[in-house]
Amino acid sequence: MFEEGIRLRRERGAENVFDFTLGNPDVEPPEAVVAALRRVVAENRPRSHGYMPNAGFPEVRATVAARLAERTGLPFTADEVLMTVGAAGAINTVLKSILDPGDEVIVLNPYFPEYRFYIENHAGKVVPVETDENFQPDIGRIAAAIGPRTRAIILNSPNNPTGAVYSAGVLRALDEITRDPVIVISDEPYRPLVFDGVRPPETLALVRRSVLAWSWSKAMAVAGERIGYLALSPRLAELADLRNACTFANRILGYINAPAIWQWVVAQVPDATVDVSQYESKRNLLCDALSRMGYDAPRPQGSFYCFPKTPIADDLAFIRILQQEGILAVPGSGFGRGGYFRLSLTIPREEIERSLPAFERALGKARRA
């Protein structure tokens, strides 16, 4: 898609190409984050740029643990937190720690496609399980998929690509079927990006055998800084062994440490978040316009993606029709769910407005096909 975008811009002019493919924040970090970065750099404390314990600076981990304890009601300490190279680093760290070759990890369709690579990186086997018509986890299907080699279930809420937020009831039901040695890995980089007053439930509070993979990439619009953490539930019976394994894995996977300067920055402003209303406004504009045209485009509850149905069954064929109109989108089949397409809201509002006639023309072409 990236190469196709370059080709189309060269042929048609950049103003006639609308790239909805990449979830790369188009806003700048909140001023509080930039101010904290200035303070940290200006302070230049001794060994600011040196190695620290593999799990990260103890003071930073203690700050994160205090926030987690406040949110979840669980007795988190610095020992249950590892600073990581984003949520991707956190997920790979825990998978490296728990998987033997041939072990299985359940993912929920549609799912972020890099989960497959993360799992296979560590010789695991991907077991896709379908969600329900509202993209909520189907507990019966998950229970049926759990076998003797199952070691983990990956959750992603708010979800990429659907924007679904998993309900507290679903998480409680998942807790009832999750038994040792299965661990629920909750990937939550979009947690602060929710709309219409939605409040995502705390997975760590509701699922006893869980860990949290967190990233500030989306909340603070600092995707390129690669800063996040892995939080291990204090209720895990194997907590000490898992903590030691993850601390070691964080090093041997090549990350060594999470970025030092950014550890201190997020410790100063852990809850700083971009203005979510701008994403909500673009969601409303795009989904409402597509729905009026005749697309099936429900409003997502969170993240910065929309996941409409394609007007024809073949989502790849419809993606090609969109390209003819200068629109770049991602087929749902890339996420394990054909018949849909993903649109990122990380595109300027004026470009969304200018793209609407092209969406309408594409719909007409699809209907005539």
Side-chain angles (χ1 to χ4, degrees):
M1 282 297 178
F2 183 80
E3 298 299 331
E4 182 67 8
I6 293 174
R7 184 185 70 79
L8 288 177
R9 290 184 186 92
R10 186 166 55 243
E11 289 181 358
R12 306 181 188 185
E15 70 280 4
N16 298 311
V17 178
F18 309 101
D19 189 349
F20 288 87
T21 60
L22 190 60
N24 193 18
D26 64 326
V27 298
E28 293 305 309
E31 180 52 40
V33 175
V34 177
L37 176 61
R38 292 192 185 104
R39 289 194 298 271
V40 168
V41 172
E43 182 181 5
N44 197 30
R45 69 187 76 200
R47 302 190 68 80
S48 287
H49 308 282
Y51 289 127
M52 76 289 296
N54 289 356
F57 291 114
E59 303 97 315
V60 174
R61 289 157 45 212
T63 297
V64 172
R67 298 293 296 119
L68 286 169
E70 180 182 335
R71 280 171 36 190
T72 66
L74 298 175
F76 274 97
T77 70
D79 288 340
E80 286 81 58
V81 176
L82 294 85
M83 303 306 295
T84 60
V85 183
I91 295 169
N92 275 277
T93 294
V94 70
L95 289 175
K96 177 67 173 176
S97 301
I98 66 175
L99 293 184
D100 286 326
D103 283 346
E104 298 175 351
V105 179
I106 291 173
V107 296
L108 305 182
N109 263 345
Y111 62 93
F112 181 48
E114 290 191 22
Y115 291 159
R116 174 173 293 276
F117 303 120
Y118 300 165
I119 295 163
E120 293 176 350
N121 281 348
H122 309 297
K125 179 183 176 183
V126 179
V127 178
V129 174
E130 293 296 333
T131 51
D132 68 16
E133 64 275 9
N134 297 313
F135 303 118
Q136 290 287 313
D138 186 313
I139 300 302
R141 287 174 173 164
I142 295 172
I146 294 175
R149 297 299 301 271
T150 305
R151 293 296 178 269
I153 303 167
I154 299 181
L155 303 184
N156 178 212
S157 174
N159 182 263
N160 172 14
T162 68
V165 175
Y166 299 160
S167 71
V170 163
L171 295 179
R172 291 190 186 97
L174 182 63
D175 179 59
E176 291 298 316
I177 65 168
T178 304
R179 296 289 180 268
D180 185 22
V182 180
I183 292 176
V184 171
I185 303 171
S186 188
D187 179 25
E188 301 185 10
Y190 300 98
R191 181 181 180 82
L193 305 183
V194 289
F195 313 129
D196 305 320
V198 170
R199 292 178 62 87
E202 294 285 352
T203 304
L204 289 167
L206 298 174
V207 181
R208 285 164 289 182
R209 293 192 54 76
S210 63
V211 301
L212 171 64
W214 170 264
S215 170
W216 279 278
S217 292
K218 311 305 190 297
M220 291 184 178
V222 292
E225 303 301 346
R226 310 311 305 143
I227 182 66
Y229 65 78
L230 173 66
L232 311 177
S233 173
R235 295 187 287 182
L236 288 165
E238 69 274 36
L239 178 61
D241 286 343
L242 183 59
R243 178 197 307 127
N244 291 337
C246 288
T247 303
F248 184 61
N250 200 40
R251 183 175 186 86
I252 65 171
L253 285 171
Y255 310 132
I256 312 301
N257 300 123
I261 290 297
W262 279 93
Q263 288 190 49
W264 294 117
V265 172
V266 297
Q268 288 199 13
V269 286
D271 299 318
T273 304
V274 297
D275 179 7
V276 179
S277 67
Q278 58 191 316
Y279 289 129
E280 185 169 4
S281 174
K282 290 191 287 187
R283 176 206 66 166
N284 296 345
L285 168 65
L286 182 58
C287 291
D288 291 355
L290 293 179
S291 296
R292 285 194 298 269
M293 293 175 198
Y295 287 92
D296 185 347
R299 292 179 172 188
Q301 295 175 290
S303 77
F304 44 49
Y305 304 107
C306 300
F307 200 57
K309 285 186 177 179
T310 52
I312 55 177
D314 188 340
D315 55 318
L316 292 174
F318 185 66
I319 290 296
R320 289 191 287 270
I321 293 174
L322 287 174
Q323 287 180 14
Q324 293 170 10
E325 298 300 330
I327 294 172
L328 299 176
V330 185
S333 54
F335 301 92
R337 179 69 67 88
Y340 290 81
F341 63 111
R342 193 193 74 172
L343 302 171
S344 175
L345 298 172
T346 58
I347 179 174
R349 183 183 176 90
E350 59 272 18
E351 289 191 27
I352 295 177
E353 292 171 339
R354 288 192 297 107
S355 74
L356 297 179
F359 277 107
E360 194 155 21
R361 291 193 300 270
L363 180 60
K365 284 184 176 182
R367 286 173 169 170
R368 293 190 298 270

